[in-house]
Amino acid sequence: MARPRPEKKSEPAVPIVSKILPMELQIGDRLVDEIGECEVVGPPYTTAGGKNARVRVQRVGQPGVTEIRIWVAHERISVKRATTEEGKR
């Protein structure tokens, strides 16, 4: 009879870089662009009949200073998302 397999230990969250639509952003996601690294601090919302997507972000290392980023709703953006659940992005 074969021995049972040992259970896998849970590993710490590993950031995953992916390209997503702006409306798929979640609080805690990190964006890197020409200005620097920013963290999403508010849920995304659309304006102009759903053609523009906006989200409130703050720079990493500068808490309290927030700004609103705007993207065209169909534009894909690169984000780093830390996930602990298996099977999710």
Side-chain angles (χ1 to χ4, degrees), residues 9-35:
K9 295 180 182 177
S10 65
E11 296 179 11
V14 177
I16 297 173
V17 178
S18 60
K19 288 193 155 272
I20 61 171
L21 295 172
M23 288 306 295
E24 296 173 349
L25 286 170
Q26 298 176 358
I27 295 174
D29 287 348
R30 292 187 177 219
L31 313 165
V32 179
D33 58 5
E34 63 276 353
I35 296 173

Side-chain angles (χ1 to χ4, degrees), residues 22-23 25 42-48 50-56 68-71 73:
M23 288 306 295
L25 286 170
Y45 60 96
T46 59
T47 59
K51 294 182 180 181
N52 296 330
R54 299 170 183 240
V55 68
R56 189 177 338 147
I68 295 178
R69 294 284 173 93
I70 305 169
W71 294 275

Side-chain angles (χ1 to χ4, degrees), residues 61-80:
Q62 292 183 344
V65 179
T66 63
E67 57 187 55
I68 295 178
R69 294 284 173 93
I70 305 169
W71 294 275
V72 179
H74 66 270
E75 177 183 354
R76 293 201 174 258
I77 53 177
S78 294
V79 298
K80 286 193 288 187

